[in-house]
Amino acid sequence: MEPVISVVVPVYNGAGYLEACFASLAAQTYRRIEVIAVDDASTDKSGALCDRWAEKDPRFQAVHLPENRGPSGARNEGVRRAKGEYLSFVDADDFAEPQLLERMYRRLTEAGADVCACGAEGIRIKDGPPGVFSREEAVRCLARSQPFGFVPWGKLYRTSLVKDCPFDEGIFYSEDLLFLYQLFQRVEKVCYLPDRLYHYVCREGGQMQSGINRRKCTALAVNDRICEDAALRFPEAETDFRQTALAACRCLAVLAVKKGASEGRLWDYLKLLQGNLRRHFSWKALARCPRKKDAAAILALSVSAAAFWGLAAAMGKGGQG
């Protein structure tokens, strides 16, 4: 018999999306699955929807956390309960093509790989041709976010790898990048399937649509940890990871200016981001920014928080991101 694939779905106030998500999992052509829906103390009808699906489909199980632990905690709880030989993550507001799990499983086993990544709709990721990558090559792909991005979904893993590499529950932003960076250090091969079998849905009211706060700034610790480690273990990927760090600082600074900052501490947050950006700044990393206006914003923030504020405000008035 074919092995069981565990699918972990972290759920928090996703009632408007869950039916489409769960229906796409129930329709998978790979039938030997278990779907572990982890309700992260939702305050809407999400918990009841998880229970309803667990009642009508024996492959589904609902887990209810007594208090909110964030997506990392919800994923860790689902992984802890997973019994399948392979594992995949699907976010509650996304959905999948019926062939998602079957195609990734076939490709993974054919390649003798530990992880298979597929293409996705709804998110800007530079794709590429099918391929099989060594550990070092996979880390370099991760650093460049090409052909697969640093998101946990849209991938199939050997469950044992994920159980040995839990999400850091103290990180609330860029936790996906840290998880994959640590996990890829344990793999022998990663294979890539360019078919867009996963559908990412930009959720209204999601993190990218709100201002900056202390939780989001935990991403700065991820920048520090990965860049410091990559300099020693994967020097060929260091510049790309530094470019990723610069991009994260720019993104958070733009959110701070356009959407506001918690406790009204805009300048404190901009100074914090400026310090992290300066720590990882290099001209080589700056040269790898895909858009000139992003490079200009990074350079402005490195020089002056006030200069960045003026530039970001002007871009906002001009309707540019």
Side-chain angles (χ1 to χ4, degrees):
M1 296 180 68
E2 292 182 324
V4 171
I5 296 177
S6 300
V7 183
V8 175
V9 184
V11 178
Y12 180 70
N13 289 355
Y17 305 87
L18 277 178
E19 284 294 334
C21 176
F22 288 166
S24 74
L25 296 178
Q28 289 297 302
T29 56
Y30 191 98
R31 303 301 296 171
R32 285 180 57 78
I33 65 173
E34 62 166 3
V35 179
I36 307 168
V38 184
D39 171 27
D40 193 19
S42 297
T43 57
D44 64 358
K45 297 179 180 179
S46 294
L49 287 171
C50 292
D51 288 336
R52 187 184 308 165
W53 272 90
E55 290 171 0
K56 73 177 184 179
D57 191 327
R59 299 174 300 168
F60 282 67
Q61 59 177 286
V63 179
H64 302 281
L65 300 182
E67 58 184 20
N68 183 267
R69 288 170 52 185
S72 292
R75 288 183 180 128
N76 284 343
E77 183 62 29
V79 171
R80 188 180 70 81
R81 295 168 180 264
K83 295 182 174 62
E85 185 177 342
Y86 298 94
L87 183 143
S88 190
F89 295 104
V90 174
D91 281 356
D93 35 17
D94 300 338
F95 62 97
E97 290 295 316
Q99 301 85 14
L100 171 75
L101 297 177
E102 182 173 13
R103 293 285 305 281
M104 288 199 297
Y105 171 71
R106 302 296 177 211
R107 184 71 185 106
L108 184 147
T109 52
E110 288 169 3
D114 303 295
V115 180
C116 179
C118 72
E121 290 280 1
I123 188 171
R124 286 189 297 183
I125 296 177
K126 298 176 183 177
D127 54 13
V132 180
F133 306 94
S134 68
R135 177 187 301 134
E136 291 75 16
E137 290 169 339
V139 170
R140 186 72 182 272
C141 290
L142 183 66
R144 292 182 169 183
S145 192
Q146 184 181 12
F148 43 80
F150 39 82
V151 288
W153 43 257
K155 296 176 176 69
L156 183 67
Y157 313 84
R158 293 189 185 277
T159 302
S160 57
L161 281 172
V162 184
K163 286 184 180 288
D164 288 341
C165 189
F167 287 84
D168 187 332
E169 296 187 31
I171 302 294
F172 297 91
Y173 206 77
S174 292
E175 75 281 359
D176 299 345
L177 173 59
L178 180 60
F179 163 75
L180 287 170
Y181 177 73
Q182 293 175 333
L183 185 138
F184 277 13
Q185 294 183 43
R186 295 167 166 81
V187 306
E188 294 298 327
K189 295 179 184 178
V190 174
C191 62
Y192 172 66
L193 181 68
D195 304 59
R196 297 182 177 181
L197 303 172
Y198 189 99
H199 295 269
Y200 171 79
V201 177
C202 186
R203 182 172 178 174
E204 186 176 351
Q207 285 199 88
M208 291 303 297
Q209 299 179 35
S210 61
I212 197 169
N213 53 42
R214 281 180 289 181
R215 280 194 166 196
K216 287 185 179 178
C217 284
T218 57
L220 305 186
V222 174
N223 292 347
D224 293 340
R225 289 166 65 176
I226 291 181
C227 289
E228 180 179 353
D229 190 80
L232 299 174
R233 296 174 184 265
F234 304 100
E236 292 186 356
E238 179 187 0
T239 299
D240 290 310
F241 279 123
R242 291 196 183 279
Q243 190 277 320
T244 297
L246 300 185
C249 290
R250 181 203 67 84
C251 178
L252 289 170
V254 168
L255 287 178
V257 172
K258 291 187 176 182
K259 302 294 184 178
S262 65
E263 304 169 359
R265 296 171 51 228
L266 173 62
W267 293 106
D268 290 339
Y269 280 115
L270 287 180
K271 287 291 186 182
L272 179 66
L273 294 168
Q274 182 186 60
N276 192 266
L277 185 146
R278 286 176 172 175
R279 189 152 59 249
H280 301 296
F281 183 89
S282 78
W283 290 105
K284 285 185 177 180
L286 185 68
R288 294 187 183 181
C289 288
R291 301 191 298 178
K292 290 183 178 180
K293 67 177 181 179
D294 292 346
I298 289 167
L299 194 58
L301 182 59
S302 72
V303 173
S304 163
F308 175 83
W309 181 89
L311 181 63
M315 285 183 174
K317 290 178 181 178
Q320 301 177 26

